[in-house]
Amino acid sequence: MTVRDEDGRATPAGAQREDTAPGGRDAPARGFAGGRDTTADAPDAAAPGLAQGQETTPNGPHIGTRGSAGERETAVEGLIEGLARLARAHGGGPATSVLKDTRVTVVRAGGVVAKAHPPGTDEPALTARLRAASALPGVLLPPLSTRPERLDGRLVTLWPTGEPVDPADPEGAPWESAAVLLARLHAAPPDAPALPPAGGPARLARAVALLDGLDGALAGPVATVLAAHRSLLPQITPSPDNRGSAPVGLDHERAPNPDDRGPAPVGLDHRGAPDLDGRGPVPVRLDHEGAPDLDGRRSASGMLAHGDFHLGQVIRYQGEWLLIDVDDLGTGDPAWDLARPAAWYASGLLSPGLWERFLSAYLGAAGPALPAGDPWRELDVPARALTVQLAATAVAAAGAEGRPLDEVEQALVSSCGRIAHAAAPQ
């Protein structure tokens, strides 16, 4: 069983993929929010330590070049060779491997990884993100340079290699370490004037846009995902400075209660959420300046967030686990960083034991994204959003490949159906 990302790549159900780790292959972790649909830009399938080969996606090859197939192939080969030269110029070795070639192209040369970002990447924003990574040792993998290079009109960043999470061993994955890293990241003072908004909501919008024009055998799943997406609009207050903010969705009957380690009811209808004055559950606001601080936490909009977290974004470097991939790093609601595992858990695709390991470690590290009493008060809407995102990318990939949905993809669409049904007038 597989799920898909915005680029249409498939991963074993629950496997965690995403942007290739600067330190080596993609690092999927089964059962963790995003299998082949971890995010809007998940990584290629991993070979022994490395993702191999080129891929096409629902939107076609992401090589930033128009023209004949031969011209595109020549352009790709030239880009790869140029990336290898840049990596070697920064201390890399002679042996090279292509880790990824989709919207981004990633090449490893010995101990150095060179990553060509998508055409049109904002240079000041990327530079700010590189500086933020360099300023957070022990949390984010430090880049080899805080200034991007240019190659064939593309921005290129350079990174040391590291050891990714073993996708075949979800029980042995560093759930606790990943949660603690996120807690430390979220607690770090952001360089708010320089950093752009975190990428979570924008990735959702891109994923839903992939459904445009899909019909035929997938018309039903498309309608279900879009209904779930629309149903959540009233629950979101978009940020005026984050044009990517978009609606969201999710469901699960039982969730762990961190206070007594026993389950507590949680669901699409916000069972157990406080009804302050008879008006219904409190609306969740995302990236909204001036949002009330109900429990002493900082306003979510002013907090540092990774923007695209999953276990494929964690590697071991010089003996410690670190977060990688700063493409979506910025300020925003940090609960979105926890939403992918929450979505998989709520959809029945992540075991309660692994989810509780992750959640308990984050709360134990005083992670500021969640209140201690009821974490689902903050998680519910972002987790629904990731469910919609994962379902949208799965359906788009199935449409691009001309195949029916597999079991995991059907489960994600079913979750969207519950989201939309719970929001419908009864």
Side-chain angles (χ1 to χ4, degrees), residues 235-325:
Q235 301 184 63
I236 302 233
T237 302
S239 166
D241 59 352
N242 185 351
R243 303 298 190 266
S245 291
V248 290
L250 178 72
D251 159 61
H252 199 278
E253 293 183 357
R254 314 277 297 172
N257 183 333
D259 293 331
D260 60 12
R261 303 301 183 207
V266 169
L268 281 173
D269 54 359
H270 297 262
R271 288 189 295 271
D275 183 351
L276 298 186
D277 56 8
R279 293 175 298 178
V282 180
V284 178
R285 282 162 292 204
L286 301 181
D287 300 330
H288 182 64
E289 292 293 343
D293 184 357
L294 299 181
D295 56 10
R297 297 178 307 124
R298 287 182 292 171
S299 169
S301 63
M303 297 172 71
L304 194 58
H306 183 275
D308 183 24
F309 173 76
H310 57 81
L311 281 188
Q313 309 287 42
V314 180
I315 65 168
R316 188 188 294 277
Y317 175 66
Q318 295 185 346
E320 62 179 347
W321 292 107
L322 296 173
L323 297 171
I324 63 169
D325 187 0

Side-chain angles (χ1 to χ4, degrees), residues 6 39-41 129 196-206 242 244-245 287 305-309 326-333 336-337 340 386 389:
E6 182 182 283
T39 82
D41 293 316
R129 286 164 165 153
R203 298 179 74 86
L204 169 64
R206 291 201 302 270
N242 185 351
S245 291
D287 300 330
H306 183 275
D308 183 24
F309 173 76
V326 298
D327 289 20
D328 292 286
L329 182 71
T331 55
D333 183 352
W336 280 71
D337 285 347
R340 193 171 278 110
L386 263 294
Q389 176 181 312

Side-chain angles (χ1 to χ4, degrees), residues 135-147:
L136 289 171
V139 178
L140 289 162
L141 182 72
L144 296 180
S145 172
T146 57
R147 298 186 64 180

Side-chain angles (χ1 to χ4, degrees), residues 201-229:
R203 298 179 74 86
L204 169 64
R206 291 201 302 270
V208 172
L210 293 174
L211 300 178
D212 290 349
L214 284 181
D215 51 20
L218 293 174
V222 168
T224 298
V225 174
L226 292 179
H229 187 250

